[in-house]
Amino acid sequence: MMETKSIPVLDMTCAVCAGNVEKIVRGLPGVQEANVNLAANLLTVTFDPQQLSVEAMQQAVRHGGYDLVIEEEDPVAIQMQKEREAYLRMRNNTIGAWVVSVPLSVLSMMHLDVPYMNWLLMGLALAVMLCFGRAFYVNGWRHAVQGSANMDTLVALSTLISFLFSVFNTVCPDFWLERGLQPHVYYEASGMIISFVLLGKLLEARAKQSTSSAIRSLMNLQPKTAHQLKDGFEEDVPIAFLRVGDIVIVRPGEQIPVDGVVSEGFSSVDESMLTGESLPVEKPVGSRVLAGTINQTGSFQMEATNVGKATVLAQIVRRVQEAQGSKAPVQRIVDKVSAIFVPVVVGIALLTFVVWLVVGGTAMFSYALLSAVSVLVIACPCALGLATPTALMVGIGKGAEQHILIRDASALENLCHIDTIVFDKTGTLTEGKPKVLDTWWDKQIFDPSLLSILYAAEHRSEHPLASALTEYIEPMHPSAIQGGTFESITGRGIQFTFDDTTYWVGSRAFLDDFGAVLPDAARLALDKWESAGYSVVFFGRGAEVLVLFAISDRLKQTSTQAVAQLHEAGIEVHLLTGDAERPAKQIADEAGIRHWKAQTLPSDKEEYIVALQKAGRRVAMVGDGINDSPALARADVSIAMGRGTDVAMDVAMVTLITSDLLSIPEAIRLSRRTVRSIHQNLFWAFIYNVIGIPLAAGILYPVCEWLMNPMIASAAMAFSSVSVVTNSLRLKWSHA
């Protein structure tokens, strides 16, 4: 039995690192698939736990120079803590590097003819390299020993070359003087390269923290402690200590710690953060309550039913993490480029050095060396590696904040290409709860006490419209009656005999069975309701018609607006329903849908989707994830309507936790914005390297004698990653 886990990864610095971790894990026995998201520092792995343990996976990754957080309780919190500690170390190293590098650079530019000045510069550069940039050399050496390379390799090579060349010129200046050349030193390049790279990584780390803000917001919904009632005493305990069956006290204004059932008391609960429904929900004894929602007015006791990773909130967090850790199809190209990026750059640097010497001879040695160093420094695999995952993290996280759960990156990418959406009717476009909208009563013969008989009969019925009648009658406080015989008649309704009198409730067919005749007033009401597409239920006694009920499943308030927005976006909307022609047409007309089909079975819906696809349409299906599952599975993108706790997260590519259909056009807009951001990021990441590397190599020197300083190259490299992450963060505030 294969198992999929999302495991936080530590100590990655660039896209090549992510590729290395993937390669290590994929090479382990029992691993089916492994993907690493650099932006989220997250490994998503599918493996056979019978062949491979998580501990063995961690050991293999550690041997490769990285680490996994495999603690079961709260690995994401542990990862965030370790990343926070790493951020603080990086901040201190960045400040220290700049404090030393600035005077190093100033002294180098002043060209002071002071004895031992070069030795002073050497000491300052060495301090920056060993005290503040030590991690670059440790990581670079570790990867070299294992036959791999990453961004640290480029930084280590470039700074060591500059430093060692300067040391040679400091110790043996006569070697160049005898050849008529000046023994220049470039200690400032070593120091400033490290300073700029550290600054860029620091800004990148801060920006990446913003991309994961959605996950942190979801995690913060769950409190850390709970008021547990045990042996009659109340005790505050960490929620990790709670078990199924424990009794918990929830006071007004507090967040509910775990999923459970109200066992004592009464309150109303704000569930908007999970379900999107703005109005508080009343919670009498026996009602289900969810972790992370907020208790409003009353205090109550609850029995825990789901704790830890089993709560609805934890499942949503896990789904968002897995989605953010998945890869879009376009990322495959980037992975291939990143895998060979560093060796290719080192090759280009060597070629640059050789070409300069061939063209200019030994007189150009300094230029050749500086150009090679600039090539090593300016090349940035990070910008490529971050282009896709940062945009996906922000896009999927923003969707979660708007109660849109996107299953994976492919779903998000495919959603923007949809040109046709097919809606199920009941529970999707409509409220899914039939209601009595109008009635006709024969006031001359109707006795209000007959409501008790109707109520008792409908309580025994399993017909979908029975609940609408009982809900309508209940506020009239019908009295309870005992006895009587009940009979369900297929295709007609029910008969109920009480005190030797026969009553019937159901379709118009009963009128002929009992010889009942509709009064003129009832006939007028019936014609009006049927033309409006309502279902009509008849209640009679023998040959007498007592009441007519007009019942309909009402359109959701946002359905018409959502359909209009989809039309504005150029998307064709279709309606499929198992209902009869007249109510189907009524709902379609009311919602503004021109294409509809009634009396469809689940197999018919699937065939309808296939026909659209054969016509060249890219189809999304929106349904409840159960009876629409064949059509959902067939569609290019499947969208399930969630209902708070009953979220069909395993059925569809996209799940709308809220019942608000306006989430659908918003999801499509979000998909388009995210994919546009990915394309922008990839364009600039590729263009940056395509333009930057030739400039660093000195391609403009023959034209205008301009040569890129390694310090400028390091600054450009440092800010390229920041620009990509910043562009992705624009999604957080974009509404276009």
Side-chain angles (χ1 to χ4, degrees):
M1 183 68 177
M2 304 302 288
E3 183 177 337
T4 299
K5 279 184 174 289
S6 293
I7 307 173
V9 187
L10 301 176
D11 303 325
M12 293 192 302
T13 58
C14 69
V16 180
C17 294
N20 290 341
V21 174
E22 282 185 0
K23 184 178 179 181
I24 292 169
V25 176
R26 285 175 179 168
L28 297 175
V31 174
Q32 184 182 78
E33 184 59 51
N35 292 310
V36 174
N37 185 320
L38 176 62
N41 292 327
L42 198 68
L43 164 68
T44 303
V45 56
T46 302
F47 67 105
D48 184 354
Q50 299 297 323
Q51 298 185 52
L52 178 68
S53 67
V54 179
E55 290 75 15
M57 195 184 304
Q58 183 187 46
Q59 288 301 317
V61 172
R62 281 179 173 175
H63 182 70
Y66 310 95
D67 199 1
L68 300 179
V69 181
I70 62 173
E71 283 78 358
E72 288 294 325
E73 287 298 334
D74 199 349
V76 177
I78 295 172
Q79 178 196 24
M80 288 181 176
Q81 176 61 29
K82 290 184 178 293
E83 288 178 352
R84 175 64 180 168
E85 294 170 358
Y87 175 82
L88 292 175
R89 288 196 299 272
M90 187 185 299
R91 186 189 65 181
N92 294 336
N93 286 336
T94 303
I95 294 172
W98 278 98
V99 167
V100 178
S101 295
V102 169
L104 169 63
S105 182
V106 171
L107 291 173
S108 298
M109 290 187 294
M110 293 177 68
H111 301 291
L112 296 176
D113 189 14
V114 178
Y116 304 109
M117 174 58 72
N118 285 352
W119 292 92
L120 174 61
L121 297 177
M122 181 197 302
L124 292 174
L126 196 61
V128 175
M129 296 167 68
L130 295 182
C131 296
F132 309 114
R134 181 173 177 271
F136 293 117
Y137 307 103
V138 172
N139 293 335
W141 174 254
R142 187 173 61 197
H143 284 91
V145 169
Q146 295 173 1
S148 63
N150 67 347
M151 191 201 73
D152 292 335
T153 305
L154 298 179
V155 175
L157 277 176
S158 59
T159 53
L160 277 174
I161 290 171
S162 299
F163 181 78
L164 293 176
F165 178 65
S166 299
V167 169
F168 178 83
N169 289 353
T170 300
V171 176
C172 306
D174 294 338
F175 178 85
W176 298 107
L177 292 172
E178 291 172 358
R179 290 163 175 76
L181 300 173
Q182 288 297 316
H184 296 295
V185 295
Y186 301 99
Y187 292 117
E188 78 281 3
S190 300
M192 292 303 290
I193 287 172
I194 289 175
S195 298
F196 273 118
V197 173
L198 283 174
L199 179 60
K201 299 298 287 183
L202 186 71
L203 295 174
E204 176 189 318
R206 289 192 63 178
K208 282 171 65 178
Q209 288 177 5
S210 296
T211 66
S212 59
S213 60
I215 279 288
R216 290 199 300 272
S217 298
L218 286 170
M219 292 178 63
N220 290 336
L221 288 177
Q222 190 161 15
K224 303 301 180 185
T225 60
H227 311 303
Q228 183 181 11
L229 188 63
K230 193 172 184 179
D231 299 327
F233 295 95
E234 182 182 329
E235 180 183 2
D236 287 350
V237 298
I239 61 170
F241 290 0
L242 291 178
R243 298 293 180 263
V244 173
D246 286 349
I247 302 299
V248 177
I249 298 175
V250 183
R251 300 191 180 99
E254 292 182 341
Q255 289 178 309
I256 296 171
V258 293
D259 293 355
V261 175
V262 177
S263 58
E264 183 179 316
F266 177 88
S267 185
S268 59
V269 174
D270 179 2
E271 297 182 337
S272 60
M273 63 284 299
L274 289 183
T275 66
E277 306 296 343
S278 58
L279 295 177
V281 182
E282 292 186 347
K283 299 292 182 180
V285 172
S287 301
R288 190 177 183 191
V289 289
L290 302 175
T293 57
I294 300 175
N295 183 26
Q296 294 280 288
T297 54
S299 178
F300 62 87
Q301 294 180 17
M302 58 174 283
E303 179 182 345
T305 56
N306 292 310
V307 299
K309 295 181 179 180
T311 65
V312 170
L313 176 60
Q315 292 178 49
I316 291 174
V317 170
R318 178 173 59 85
R319 286 291 179 182
V320 175
Q321 284 180 308
E322 289 177 355
Q324 290 182 331
S326 63
K327 288 189 176 182
V330 70
Q331 181 68 16
R332 297 181 191 131
I333 301 173
V334 179
D335 289 344
K336 291 178 181 178
V337 173
S338 298
I340 61 171
F341 188 89
V342 173
V344 168
V345 168
V346 172
I348 293 174
L350 288 173
L351 180 63
T352 299
F353 182 76
V354 170
V355 169
W356 271 95
L357 288 183
V358 169
V359 173
T362 55
M364 290 290 185
F365 187 88
S366 294
Y367 288 170
L369 190 67
L370 288 178
S371 297
V373 168
S374 295
V375 168
L376 290 172
V377 173
I378 201 169
C380 185
C382 292
L384 284 172
L386 291 169
T388 299
T390 51
L392 287 175
M393 280 191 67
V394 177
I396 292 171
K398 188 175 179 65
E401 291 174 350
Q402 297 174 337
H403 312 292
I404 303 167
L405 292 185
I406 299 168
R407 188 168 189 173
D408 56 32
S410 297
L412 185 65
E413 189 170 347
N414 291 336
L415 194 59
C416 73
H417 301 301
I418 292 300
D419 56 27
T420 305
I421 287 188
V422 178
F423 283 98
D424 171 51
K425 182 179 79 70
T426 305
T428 303
L429 281 173
T430 65
E431 294 177 352
K433 190 175 182 181
K435 292 182 179 294
V436 175
L437 301 184
D438 203 353
T439 60
W440 174 88
W441 306 73
D442 191 333
K443 297 179 181 178
Q444 295 180 354
I445 60 175
F446 185 78
D447 182 351
S449 64
L450 296 176
L451 285 175
S452 298
I453 297 173
L454 176 60
Y455 187 77
E458 290 301 314
H459 248 302
R460 300 189 188 184
S461 174
E462 297 179 355
H463 193 276
L465 299 183
S467 60
L469 292 175
T470 55
E471 184 179 323
Y472 178 76
I473 299 169
E474 201 162 32
M476 303 177 189
H477 306 292
S479 58
I481 64 170
Q482 302 295 329
T485 59
F486 174 91
E487 181 183 4
S488 177
I489 302 175
T490 303
R492 282 170 166 74
I494 59 175
Q495 285 183 206
F496 189 76
T497 302
F498 182 74
D499 286 344
D500 298 325
T501 303
T502 300
Y503 300 87
W504 46 270
V505 189
S507 68
R508 193 170 184 174
F510 267 136
L511 273 66
D512 296 332
D513 292 350
F514 288 92
V517 178
L518 278 178
D520 292 339
R523 192 177 299 278
L524 289 174
L526 177 63
D527 292 341
K528 182 179 71 171
W529 295 337
E530 286 185 338
S531 64
Y534 296 163
S535 299
V536 181
V537 174
F538 299 80
F539 175 42
R541 178 178 56 194
E544 298 174 321
V545 178
L546 302 175
V547 188
L548 271 61
F549 297 94
I551 300 177
S552 180
D553 186 6
R554 292 185 298 187
L555 201 66
K556 290 177 182 175
Q557 292 183 350
T558 56
S559 294
T560 302
Q561 187 178 354
V563 170
Q565 289 187 13
L566 291 171
H567 284 152
E568 290 174 4
I571 296 173
E572 190 172 278
V573 181
H574 294 242
L575 169 65
L576 298 180
T577 177
D579 278 356
E581 294 278 337
R582 187 169 287 177
K585 183 179 186 305
Q586 170 66 23
I587 289 294
D589 291 343
E590 193 175 344
I593 299 175
R594 294 185 292 272
H595 309 279
W596 57 274
K597 186 177 181 181
Q599 296 178 324
T600 55
L601 299 173
S603 58
D604 298 329
K605 294 180 180 180
E606 181 183 7
E607 292 173 2
Y608 193 91
I609 298 290
V610 172
L612 287 171
Q613 291 171 329
K614 287 182 178 178
R617 313 292 294 184
R618 302 292 293 273
V619 185
M621 174 69 193
V622 186
D624 62 11
I626 301 172
N627 61 340
D628 296 312
S629 43
L632 286 167
R634 182 65 64 179
D636 297 296
V637 175
S638 51
I639 304 174
M641 300 297 297
R643 301 193 182 184
T645 61
D646 186 24
V647 180
M649 290 185 286
D650 291 324
V651 178
M653 300 176 187
V654 179
T655 299
L656 308 180
I657 302 179
T658 175
S659 60
D660 188 353
L661 285 181
L662 288 175
S663 297
I664 294 176
E666 179 56 37
I668 293 172
R669 287 192 292 267
L670 177 63
S671 170
R672 291 175 176 176
R673 293 196 300 266
T674 303
V675 171
R676 184 165 63 241
S677 179
I678 290 173
H679 292 163
Q680 290 170 349
N681 288 346
L682 289 174
F683 173 80
W684 288 114
F686 277 110
I687 288 297
Y688 164 82
N689 285 289
V690 167
I691 294 177
I693 291 176
L695 287 177
I699 196 172
L700 292 181
Y701 189 82
V703 178
C704 57
E705 295 189 356
W706 182 83
L707 196 64
M708 182 177 290
N709 189 296
M711 290 186 291
I712 297 175
S714 63
M717 187 273 280
F719 288 103
S720 63
S721 298
V722 178
S723 63
V724 166
V725 179
T726 303
N727 185 55
S728 297
L729 286 174
R730 290 171 57 239
L731 284 168
K732 289 170 69 74
W733 304 285
S734 174
H735 298 284

